[in-house]
Amino acid sequence: MADLKQLAEELVNLTVKEVNELAGILKDEYGIEPAAAAVAVAGPAAGGGEEAAAEQTEFDVILKAAGASKLAVVKLVKELTGLGLKEAKAVVDEAPKALKEKVSKDEAEALKAQLEEAGAEVEVK
């Protein structure tokens, strides 16, 4: 494995001239076309990028409904968002509405737990 790591390091540090020379050697001596080699190398890297993109890192906390104890939910929304009482009540009345956007998974889950404890119906997207 150490030899492969060393080879990878050497490949990454090649200059443009050296890459062209390597492409010529691969084509002439081994019959490997540079475009085919580039696709073979880029293929797995592109697949890994899609997997990373599929894993969501930012979440939105959506208040779907205030539930039975609307007053408790309004107070909690006021506390969590920093809004005034009137604005927090408007957010609760306009449900479904996003309370927080682009937050971490941990923060989104914590907000959801607090809001559900107060009686609200919440969704994390």
Side-chain angles (χ1 to χ4, degrees):
M1 282 293 194
D3 293 334
L4 291 177
K5 286 184 180 185
Q6 182 181 0
L7 177 62
E9 176 116 5
E10 289 175 14
L11 287 173
V12 170
N13 293 321
L14 290 177
T15 65
V16 174
K17 183 179 178 186
E18 292 170 331
V19 169
N20 285 330
E21 287 178 29
L22 176 61
I25 293 169
L26 289 173
K27 182 177 179 183
D28 296 339
E29 293 185 24
Y30 300 100
I32 299 173
E33 292 290 324
V39 170
V41 171
E50 290 170 10
E51 288 177 20
E55 187 175 329
Q56 189 175 356
T57 58
E58 294 180 334
F59 297 84
D60 297 340
V61 179
I62 313 291
L63 176 67
K64 292 179 76 174
S69 54
K70 183 176 173 183
L71 182 60
V73 173
V74 170
K75 287 180 179 179
L76 186 57
V77 167
K78 176 182 177 284
E79 179 185 320
L80 294 174
T81 61
L83 296 172
L85 188 58
K86 184 177 179 182
E87 292 83 6
K89 182 182 181 300
V91 168
V92 172
D93 289 341
E94 294 170 4
K97 185 150 176 108
L99 289 180
K100 294 259 185 164
E101 296 178 331
K102 297 183 179 178
V103 297
S104 69
K105 184 175 183 175
D106 293 337
E107 184 179 353
E109 292 298 328
L111 290 169
K112 180 180 179 184
Q114 287 178 312
L115 288 161
E116 286 178 342
E117 189 176 307
E121 186 178 331
V122 184
E123 178 182 7
V124 175
K125 286 188 177 183

